[in-house]
Amino acid sequence: MALVVGNANYARLRPLENPGKDADLIAERLRQLGFEVTLKTNRDLKAMGEDVEAFAQVIKQRGPDVVSVFYYAGHGLESDGLNYLVPVDADIKRKADLAGHAVSVKRIADRLSSAGNRVNILILDACRDNPFPAGASTANGLLGLAPMGAVYGAFIASATGSGKAAFDGDNGHSPYTLALAQAMSAPGEKLEDVFKSVRRQVRLATAEQQIPWESTSIETDFYFVPPAPPPSQATQLLAAATETDNLALFELLADRFPDSEEAARARKILEQRRAAAVDRKPPDASNAAEVLARARQVRTPEAFDLVASLFPDAPEAAEARALASRLREAVVLDSAGPSFEGRELIARLQDELTRLGCLSGPLSGSFDPSTVGGLRRASLLTDEHYLWYRPTMAALRALKKIDAKEGCARQRIAAGPRCQRINNEDYCQ
């Protein structure tokens, strides 16, 4: 469920161009992602309080499994470490006016948390420009929102930090909301990773003048677009049978998974072959070698589990079990050890790329096209998969496992550049 609020037509503060359009964009994107959305625009103090209360009541009625999103676009202010959203009827001339003329973000988070559900996401594209007249003494200490302490079950994201104004945007949308609408549609991205992507896009779009932040105390994973489920054993076996055109594997599929859609397709293929009087090999354990070869290409624990499940007594089963165990052990090892982010993570990635001879540019400390191109080249040196167009710990761990002797100097570089467009940026190697 989502409550989306856009405040633009301020009576006493500087009006804004884009919050209404931004609220429309996020509301539409959330509907596309399966949210039940309530959209409100140009709300005064009384209406904003009523909106939040009604939203919390509905969440409580729906039960603990509800994921709620509260999105706000408009003016926002920070005073003495407390963050406020500004309704359109606010008359703020000094700090003392805030408590009675604005809505506390902490109060909204606490109210949603008390509804009893496990995940509440607050997204605040506030602090747009300076709402006060030029030279007003009130302006200096109120811009931006300050990072907040934990509120149980809440993920709080802000477009910019304390003392900084967020850009309202000059193309119909703010940089933050534009990046958010794009990032939240990426499949298989955890909530935290969605906002890491947003932070990077906003930082680049504003020449590092605007740096978003997040505060979280949620204990479960959430995806706006869930990752695709791993392929079933029947699906994997059908892929192996189709790729090798081995009738014995089609027979094995029909025998082991008779009620699956894949088995129905296998039986249809077998019937067509019988009608054409095509010779068939009898199913035997020798097919284990073909399925194991397929598993080596896929390189997932589930693929090797399939070999052991289908051919438990074959020699290939023991090898498959060992390989599956090794891959699971690697996952555990990858999740251990120190974790880095931001500029420190980028610096360590560049150090590894330099060691492997994959970085063509200087050690800039920023995630520039040279670093992206280096990660792309390095990805060809390993069987591990990582997002080469984004700085991640998975990429750093994968690079550390590559021997310097097997670095980019051994690659054959094509004469012409190869380019790929990611997030409206061209990356070439």
Side-chain angles (χ1 to χ4, degrees):
M1 299 186 61
L3 172 61
V4 176
V5 179
N7 283 347
N9 299 332
Y10 286 87
R12 298 176 180 84
L13 298 178
R14 182 176 301 165
L16 295 167
E17 288 289 331
N18 295 326
K21 302 170 190 174
D22 288 332
D24 288 339
L25 175 62
I26 295 300
E28 179 58 29
R29 186 56 47 87
L30 288 170
R31 289 190 185 102
Q32 293 171 357
L33 297 175
F35 279 77
E36 179 182 326
V37 179
T38 300
L39 174 62
K40 303 287 186 178
T41 57
N42 297 318
R43 309 300 281 173
D44 60 24
L45 179 63
K46 182 174 182 294
M48 283 187 70
E50 292 173 348
D51 293 339
V52 172
E53 179 61 28
F55 188 50
Q57 289 289 349
V58 176
I59 294 170
K60 186 174 183 179
Q61 294 171 6
R62 298 291 179 89
D65 294 330
V66 169
V67 172
S68 83
V69 169
F70 172 82
Y71 168 90
Y72 171 84
H75 280 310
L77 303 169
E78 178 261 327
S79 177
D80 298 326
L82 297 178
N83 296 320
Y84 296 90
L85 307 182
V86 183
V88 294
D89 62 343
D91 186 12
I92 301 172
K93 296 184 174 63
R94 55 188 183 276
K95 282 188 176 183
D97 295 334
L98 273 172
H101 293 261
V103 180
S104 164
V105 174
K106 178 68 161 56
R107 185 173 181 179
I108 295 175
D110 287 340
R111 183 64 189 93
L112 296 181
S113 180
S114 70
N117 59 319
R118 285 188 284 270
V119 178
N120 294 294
I121 304 166
L122 285 74
I123 305 172
L124 312 173
D125 193 355
C127 340
R128 301 182 180 215
D129 304 328
N130 183 351
F132 301 100
S137 59
T138 315
N140 295 330
L142 298 179
L143 292 180
L145 298 187
M148 295 176 58
V151 176
Y152 175 71
F155 180 97
I156 304 173
S158 172
T160 192
S162 180
K164 300 289 185 180
F167 290 91
D168 189 41
D170 54 9
N171 60 352
H173 296 289
S174 80
Y176 184 77
T177 289
L178 205 57
L180 175 63
Q182 181 181 36
M184 69 198 315
S185 300
E189 292 285 282
K190 290 182 182 179
L191 179 65
E192 294 82 359
D193 292 330
V194 166
F195 282 89
K196 286 178 183 177
S197 176
V198 170
R199 180 161 48 250
R200 174 176 177 268
Q201 294 301 321
V202 171
R203 178 178 60 81
L204 294 175
T206 63
E208 303 198 0
Q209 296 181 65
Q210 181 178 332
I211 309 294
W213 60 259
E214 298 86 44
S215 171
T216 179
S217 64
I218 61 175
E219 299 175 352
T220 58
D221 290 335
F222 173 73
Y223 302 84
F224 285 106
V225 181
S232 67
Q233 291 189 342
T235 299
Q236 294 182 61
L237 187 53
L238 177 62
T242 303
E243 184 177 297
T244 61
D245 196 28
N246 189 325
L247 296 188
L249 293 183
F250 286 112
E251 288 185 332
L252 185 62
L253 171 58
D255 178 62
R256 295 294 181 89
F257 307 100
D259 298 326
S260 66
E261 292 184 10
E262 291 82 0
R265 292 174 61 184
R267 284 191 289 267
K268 185 175 181 180
I269 291 172
L270 289 169
E271 289 172 2
Q272 292 172 346
R273 296 298 180 85
R274 290 189 186 108
V278 176
D279 292 334
R280 295 177 286 112
K281 292 189 298 182
D284 56 42
S286 64
N287 298 314
E290 294 191 26
V291 183
L292 179 60
R294 170 76 181 183
R296 286 198 185 97
Q297 295 175 355
V298 178
R299 289 192 61 81
T300 65
E302 293 77 15
F304 290 115
D305 288 341
L306 175 61
V307 179
S309 173
L310 293 176
F311 310 99
D313 300 323
E316 290 83 359
E319 182 180 353
R321 293 188 190 97
L323 291 170
S325 176
R326 199 174 304 161
L327 285 174
R328 290 191 170 95
E329 181 182 353
V331 171
V332 173
L333 291 175
D334 278 352
S335 64
S339 180
F340 307 100
E341 60 180 17
R343 288 187 175 274
E344 185 175 11
L345 173 57
I346 294 171
R348 290 178 180 270
L349 285 170
Q350 291 179 341
D351 288 341
E352 289 299 319
L353 292 172
T354 300
R355 179 180 67 85
L356 297 172
C358 298
L359 187 67
S360 60
L363 298 174
S364 63
S366 62
F367 200 65
D368 51 22
S370 174
T371 305
V372 175
L375 280 176
R376 176 70 182 92
R377 288 190 288 275
S379 70
L380 304 177
L381 305 175
T382 175
D383 292 332
E384 297 189 38
H385 300 288
Y386 58 82
L387 298 179
W388 50 265
Y389 53 86
R390 183 176 300 165
T392 64
M393 280 300 301
L396 180 60
R397 293 181 181 120
L399 295 181
K400 286 184 175 181
K401 296 176 185 178
I402 304 174
D403 192 315
K405 297 178 181 178
E406 303 296 326
C408 287
R410 294 174 58 89
Q411 292 178 328
R412 294 182 178 179
I413 306 300
R418 290 178 291 172
C419 301
Q420 186 164 354
R421 194 165 185 82
I422 301 293
N423 294 335
N424 295 320
E425 298 180 48
D426 290 324
Y427 298 105
C428 302
Q429 70 173 59

